[in-house]
Amino acid sequence: MSKVIEIIEELVAPIVDELNLELVDIEYVKEGKSWFLRVFIDKEDGIDIEECGIVSEKLSEKLDELDPIPHNYYLEVSSPGAERPLKKESDFTKSIGKRVFIKTYEPIQNEKEFEGELTSFDGETVVVTVMIKTRKKVIEIPYNKIALARLAISFS
């Protein structure tokens, strides 16, 4: 499965670069009996459906040429949404000052899930300020211990 994602990344990267877009993530998953190839793209001020359509069309042409996936699948190209995943170091750097949700592989200060403001990132440690009742607490999370990270929506 990771080989398919690798191939798709090689195919789609020049397309998004040409359009001045950012490749956020690629998913290749089976849901029920169907396979889905999902490509998430974005840009500074957000993307629109036309841009998704252009990327989908150009990527479809490349996929038809090379045929790297042996069975039927659905191709979806879309925005990562408001709770976009943070996967690369650059995602963390760009998200300083924003609200994030982070899940770790192992407990840190007896917790594995943290939600708060991403206050800094130095390439090795992610620092998140969380609210515990009325108190702010600073949590330092080693980057290599992060299992999942995404932007979080605040409803306050």
Side-chain angles (χ1 to χ4, degrees), residues 2-101:
S2 64
K3 185 71 175 161
V4 168
I5 290 174
E6 228 174 83
I7 293 166
I8 301 309
E9 188 169 355
E10 287 176 23
L11 295 176
V12 77
I15 296 167
V16 295
D17 287 348
E18 175 190 325
L19 298 168
N20 294 318
L21 302 172
E22 175 192 0
L23 176 60
V24 175
D25 199 10
I26 298 171
E27 282 182 356
Y28 180 58
V29 294
K30 188 172 187 181
E31 294 178 2
K33 294 180 180 180
S34 300
W35 283 90
F36 291 86
L37 174 58
R38 295 187 177 113
V39 177
F40 299 96
I41 57 174
D42 208 357
K43 68 179 182 191
E44 190 69 37
D45 54 345
I47 59 161
D48 59 36
I49 196 158
E50 287 175 34
E51 291 164 315
C52 291
I54 292 167
V55 171
S56 179
E57 191 176 305
K58 289 179 180 245
L59 180 56
S60 286
E61 288 172 12
K62 295 279 187 194
L63 290 168
D64 289 346
E65 275 175 38
L66 295 172
D67 202 19
I69 301 172
H71 50 264
N72 292 336
Y73 59 92
Y74 295 96
L75 172 63
E76 298 175 355
V77 177
S78 67
S79 159
E83 292 188 333
R84 83 176 266 167
L86 306 177
K87 298 234 172 186
K88 302 172 271 198
E89 289 187 16
S90 60
D91 294 337
F92 285 88
T93 303
K94 283 190 245 174
S95 299
I96 291 172
K98 296 181 179 173
R99 188 168 189 78
V100 296
F101 171 81

Side-chain angles (χ1 to χ4, degrees), residues 139-153:
I139 310 289
E140 293 187 359
I141 305 168
Y143 180 67
N144 64 354
K145 302 287 186 214
I146 295 174
L148 176 142
R150 62 173 167 75
L151 293 180
I153 297 174

